[in-house]
């Protein structure tokens, strides 16, 4: 499931999420972010055991600063509420799925 979060509700959303969460830091003006958004929709359908949280970096400067977001899109994988992996740039859904599968073991 894909959910949009803000500076104010990020901790609450992460606490209430599934054990593995993919957080996508994006910007509405970013072409690769738009392409990635479509891939994340496919990923959400294919991996119902995963929660996906989306954070608009322009609307959430505190979270962007907290996680040192210098480029968009940037994705961070959380397992049991701890940041475990980070990637920048566009990736197709199949590649994302293969990278995420190890976090479910």
């Amino acid at each position: 499931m894909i959910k949009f979060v803000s500076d104010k509700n990020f901790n609450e959303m992460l606490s209430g999420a599934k054990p593995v969460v993919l957080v996508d830091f994006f910007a509405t003006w970013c072409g690769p972010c738009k392409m990635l958004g479509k891939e994340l929709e496919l990923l959400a359908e294919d991996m119902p055991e995963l929660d996906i949280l989306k954070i608009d970096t322009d609307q959430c400067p505190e979270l962007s600063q907290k996680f040192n977001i210098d480029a968009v899109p940037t994705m961070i994988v959380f397992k049991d509420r701890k940041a475990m992996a980070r990637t920048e740039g566009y990736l197709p859904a199949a590649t994302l799925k293969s990278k995420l599968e190890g976090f479910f073991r």
Side-chain angles (χ1 to χ4, degrees):
M1 174 181 284
I2 298 176
K3 301 173 186 172
F4 289 83
V5 299
S6 68
D7 284 332
K8 294 178 181 171
N9 71 353
F10 174 75
N11 289 330
E12 177 184 331
M13 296 294 283
L14 187 61
S15 294
K18 295 175 181 167
V20 179
V21 179
L22 177 65
V23 178
D24 171 35
F25 289 87
F26 76 99
T28 57
W29 48 263
C30 167
C33 297
K34 292 176 186 177
M35 292 173 27
L36 179 63
K38 293 175 184 176
E39 298 298 317
L40 292 177
E41 289 175 17
L42 294 172
L43 186 67
E45 290 176 17
D46 199 32
M47 296 185 79
E49 68 276 19
L50 173 73
D51 274 343
I52 300 172
L53 303 180
K54 292 185 67 73
I55 298 170
D56 184 337
T57 56
D58 292 329
Q59 300 297 318
C60 301
E62 291 174 23
L63 285 173
S64 299
Q65 183 178 4
K66 177 180 178 178
F67 290 104
N68 299 312
I69 304 302
D70 296 326
V72 288
T74 294
M75 291 171 282
I76 301 175
V77 178
F78 287 81
K79 182 170 184 180
D80 299 323
R81 297 2 165 218
K82 295 179 183 161
M84 303 297 286
R86 179 185 185 112
T87 186
E88 292 180 0
Y90 168 83
L91 292 173
T95 303
L96 285 168
K97 182 178 179 180
S98 68
K99 289 181 175 282
L100 290 164
E101 285 175 337
F103 293 101
F104 290 96
R105 296 182 188 133

